[in-house]
């Protein structure tokens, strides 16, 4: 939960999660919809789905007991090199290193490394150096000490005066601490314009559940999609409703414009209130595993991606929709 998320935000999520799933068995029995709902707002939903899959795998392949070997731990869904190192060393004191951003920063400065922070060669060198230093029988303390050194002393603004390893630090010796680590090469940013429509019918709104092979699998949304070249946002809504759910709708007014980001994408979401041009709309879901009309006050039971949650938050405070109880 704490990956890519500030610890202060994580605490209530963690408490709610542990209240619902206090042990592996209760998690392995959980429904994906309920797990996603508890995770809603943390982003990177594949982590929630993978925890659920991992719990089921542990129950089925490892008789409900968390595996202790690095090989078995890394075979679990969603567990990569870092998490394998963290679990195997901290829980089982196995001789594996655990390379997080703090550890990378410490080594970049200690060894005065001039490779960019996100270069694979930089990661490999830090890993090799840490493995060479790993003291036998003390992986647990070594990894935690390194991570805390980065978190509490060798921070972005390091406190070299109180650093226990300052006598070994090459970048301090050479007066280049402020140039280490070498910043990561900039990530590509892609701007996307998207339109969505909230279709009202007899006091209810239409939502659909995203497919397992799509972005945000298993989350719910209002139908919509990417605005094509030369298209107005309201035309996109009309086209997407026809393509996705075989409904003819009319965007009657703009609700708001929402901005949000995920991975490299910076999304502008144009949101419209729609009505159906037929008296009894009967959607046929082509881009979703299921869908339904629900009362706005029931939307809280479903997990939505952040753009659509922002849209609902807006509608909750927008007097034009006050009679609907979003
Ligand atoms: S001496 Fe300063 S730069 Fe070097 S490891 Fe310690 S805190 Fe980091």
């Amino acid at each position: 939960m704490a990956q890519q998320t500030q610890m202060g935000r994580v605490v209530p999520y963690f408490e709610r999660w542990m209240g619902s799933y206090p042990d592996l068995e209760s998690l392995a029995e959980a429904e994906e919809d309920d797990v996603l709902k508890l995770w809603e707002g943390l982003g990177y939903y594949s982590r929630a789905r993978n925890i659920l899959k991992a719990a089921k795998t542990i129950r089925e392949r490892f008789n409900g007991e968390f595996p202790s070997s690095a090989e078995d731990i890394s075979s679990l869904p969603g567990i990569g090199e870092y998490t394998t190192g963290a679990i195997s060393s901290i829980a089982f004191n196995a001789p594996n290193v655990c390379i997080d951003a703090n550890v990378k920063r410490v080594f970049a400065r200690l060894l005065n490394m001039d490779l960019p922070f996100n270069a694979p060669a930089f990661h490999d060198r830090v890993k090799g150096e840490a493995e060479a230093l790993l003291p036998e029988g003390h992986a647990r303390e070594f990894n935690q000490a390194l991570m805390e050194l980065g978190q509490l002393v060798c921070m972005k603004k390091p406190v070299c005066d109180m650093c226990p390893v300052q006598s070994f630090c090459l970048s301090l010796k050479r007066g280049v601490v402020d140039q280490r680590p070498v910043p990561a090469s900039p990530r590509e940013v892609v701007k996307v314009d998207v339109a969505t429509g909230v279709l009202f019918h007899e006091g209810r709104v239409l939502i659909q559940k995203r497919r397992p092979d799509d972005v945000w699998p298993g989350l719910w949304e209002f139908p919509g999609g990417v605005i094509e070249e030369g298209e107005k946002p309201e035309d996109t809504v009309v086209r997407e409703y026809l393509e996705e759910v075989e409904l003819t709708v009319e965007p009657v007014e703009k609700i708001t414009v929402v901005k949000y980001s995920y991975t490299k994408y910076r999304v502008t979401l144009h949101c419209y209130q729609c009505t159906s041009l037929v008296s009894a709309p009967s959607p046929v879901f082509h881009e979703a595993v299921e869908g339904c009309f629900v009362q706005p006050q029931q939307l809280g039971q479903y997990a939505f991606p952040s753009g659509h949650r922002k849209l609902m938050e807006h509608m909750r405070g927008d007097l034009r929709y006050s009679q609907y109880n979003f």
Side-chain angles (χ1 to χ4, degrees):
M1 282 181 180
Q3 220 172 340
Q4 310 278 349
T5 313
Q6 286 174 347
M7 196 53 82
R9 281 199 68 213
V10 165
V11 173
Y13 279 94
F14 181 77
E15 286 172 348
R16 275 198 298 272
W17 180 281
M18 294 309 288
S20 298
Y21 309 123
D23 51 30
L24 192 132
E25 192 53 37
S26 54
L27 178 57
E29 291 289 324
E31 295 293 329
E32 188 180 274
D33 272 348
D34 297 332
V35 166
L36 290 173
K37 184 66 197 160
L38 274 181
W39 200 271
E40 188 185 27
L42 282 174
Y44 298 90
Y45 292 90
S46 59
R47 293 178 291 174
R49 275 187 294 273
N50 280 330
I51 292 173
L52 177 59
K53 281 189 215 153
K56 291 181 194 291
T57 307
I58 293 168
R59 184 179 60 179
E60 281 146 31
R61 266 182 45 213
F62 301 103
N63 293 324
E65 193 159 327
F66 203 99
S68 58
S69 81
E71 193 187 348
D72 286 340
I73 294 171
S74 68
S75 74
L76 297 173
I79 306 261
E81 181 186 277
Y82 165 76
T83 318
T84 299
I87 296 173
S88 65
S89 65
I90 296 170
F92 302 105
N93 204 24
N96 298 303
V97 294
C98 182
I99 310 298
D100 71 355
N102 285 316
V103 174
K104 286 187 190 175
R105 187 168 59 250
V106 170
F107 274 97
R109 288 171 175 160
L110 274 178
L111 304 176
N112 192 24
M113 293 169 64
D114 58 5
L115 286 161
F117 197 70
N118 59 348
F122 172 74
H123 175 88
D124 293 347
R125 166 116 194 259
V126 171
K127 189 172 175 223
E129 298 286 350
E131 282 171 345
L133 287 171
L134 190 71
E136 208 181 321
H138 293 285
R140 179 180 285 146
E141 294 91 341
F142 177 76
N143 283 334
Q144 291 186 88
L146 268 179
M147 289 191 280
E148 289 210 359
L149 183 64
Q151 203 176 7
L152 303 174
V153 182
C154 194
M155 302 169 286
K156 278 189 184 151
K157 284 195 176 154
V159 197
C160 301
D161 287 349
M162 57 176 281
C163 178
V165 295
Q166 61 167 270
S167 58
F168 309 108
C169 183
L170 283 182
S171 61
L172 182 68
K173 204 179 207 170
R174 295 182 188 160
V176 290
V177 169
D178 57 344
Q179 293 162 42
R180 299 289 178 264
V182 175
S185 15
R187 278 177 80 185
E188 181 198 13
V189 169
V190 179
K191 290 186 176 173
V192 192
D193 279 283
V194 180
T196 189
V198 181
L199 173 61
F200 285 78
H201 181 68
E202 295 178 347
R204 294 180 301 159
V205 293
L206 181 67
I207 56 172
Q208 60 178 7
K209 186 177 182 179
R210 295 182 70 92
R211 288 198 317 246
D213 56 347
D214 212 338
V215 193
W216 303 307
L219 296 192
W220 292 76
E221 64 173 9
F222 305 104
V226 175
I227 300 172
E228 292 182 354
E229 216 177 315
E231 208 173 37
K232 285 192 211 148
E234 49 270 51
D235 297 338
T236 306
V237 173
V238 172
R239 176 179 56 74
E240 291 284 343
Y241 262 86
L242 266 178
E243 290 173 3
E244 291 192 348
V245 291
E246 289 189 23
L247 289 182
T248 313
V249 299
E250 184 185 8
V252 286
E253 68 179 336
K254 193 156 197 166
I255 301 170
T256 187
V257 175
V258 166
K259 290 189 186 268
Y260 64 97
S261 302
Y262 71 96
T263 61
K264 64 181 178 182
Y265 299 101
R266 303 293 172 266
V267 184
T268 304
L269 175 64
H270 302 259
C271 312
Y272 290 84
Q273 178 191 346
C274 299
T275 53
S276 168
L277 292 183
V278 293
S279 55
S282 174
V284 180
F285 296 98
H286 291 287
E287 295 294 329
V289 286
E290 59 179 302
C292 50
F293 278 98
V294 295
Q295 291 177 336
Q297 65 262 39
Q298 293 172 319
L299 289 169
Q301 297 165 19
Y302 301 84
F304 285 80
S306 76
H308 289 239
R309 258 184 306 112
K310 283 187 177 177
L311 163 59
M312 290 188 291
E313 272 160 34
H314 171 89
M315 293 178 86
R316 216 165 288 139
D318 188 326
L319 287 178
R320 290 175 295 173
Y321 308 104
S322 56
Q323 79 268 30
Y324 293 108
N325 291 326
F326 269 90

